[in-house]
Amino acid sequence: MPIRHHARRNSRTRIFVALLLCSLVGLLLPRSVTGRLMNLLQVFVPLQDAANRVADAVGGAVAGIRSPKVSAAEFERLSAQNQALRHTVASLQSTMGALEQANRELAGLRDRGMPGK
């Protein structure tokens, strides 16, 4: 049994190191290469939203005793509004990254001048 546990820990370490190396490579690559991946990452926005909901639920359960007194209906309304705003912020941040990349590309075209001049 100790061998199997050691192999599992070794496998986890390899996965962690591989993910760390991928992140490092992503940081070192130029924006022209990584900018194209921005739209692909929008797939993860719903997963991020779900993770935020779970974290908020756990935080609410732990800190629920100290929270101010509000009606259940008001709490539900504010909670739904909070989640909608979080999702909107995540989506806007992703869109902003894509627009910044497009702006950099257009600025590069402007700085190089129009072809045929």
Side-chain angles (χ1 to χ4, degrees), residues 37-111:
L37 299 174
M38 191 64 68
N39 290 335
L40 180 64
L41 294 178
Q42 284 185 340
V43 172
F44 295 107
V45 170
L47 298 174
Q48 180 184 9
D49 186 44
N52 282 337
R53 267 190 261 138
V54 169
D56 288 345
V58 170
V62 171
I65 298 171
R66 291 186 249 150
S67 64
K69 301 290 181 189
V70 295
S71 68
E74 179 71 7
F75 177 79
E76 289 298 322
R77 184 186 68 78
L78 291 174
S79 180
Q81 183 181 14
N82 184 7
Q83 290 304 318
L85 290 172
R86 286 177 185 258
H87 189 274
T88 300
V89 166
S91 178
L92 288 173
Q93 285 175 333
S94 181
T95 302
M96 186 177 73
L99 290 172
E100 285 174 344
Q101 176 65 28
N103 188 30
R104 281 190 293 276
E105 291 170 3
L106 291 171
L109 285 173
R110 181 197 63 215
D111 293 343

